[in-house]
Amino acid sequence: GTGIETSVNALYAKVAAALGQDVPPRFEAAIPGELRHSSVDATRLRRELDVRCTTTLDDGLIFVAMAREPVA
């Protein structure tokens, strides 16, 4: 929870890069009631549990990409 919004397009690009893929995104109409914006504020997590998020989104995606099993 950095509190920084990341667009779906930016997230897609980051995931594709972490996986070493160059597949263009496919765009569809928004689903009625779908959230347009969302971000996480980790203030309460830090305050109540003294947890500090130190992994960046990019580093976390690379870690997950490296840990996933190869697709046959």
Side-chain angles (χ1 to χ4, degrees):
T2 63
I4 300 169
E5 287 187 21
T6 303
S7 72
V8 172
N9 292 332
L11 183 59
Y12 182 89
K14 289 175 181 290
V15 169
L19 295 174
Q21 301 294 315
D22 188 23
V23 179
R26 187 180 75 201
F27 296 96
E28 300 285 337
I31 298 170
E34 186 173 27
L35 287 176
R36 302 275 307 161
H37 301 277
S38 178
S39 65
V40 175
D41 179 359
T43 303
R44 186 173 177 195
L45 182 65
R46 286 190 298 271
R47 181 181 67 239
E48 295 188 15
L49 299 178
D50 196 31
V51 172
R52 307 259 189 267
C53 301
T54 58
T55 303
T56 66
L57 176 58
D58 292 332
D59 288 346
L61 290 173
I62 290 168
F63 176 80
V64 170
M66 290 177 15
R68 74 181 185 97
E69 298 212 17
V71 177

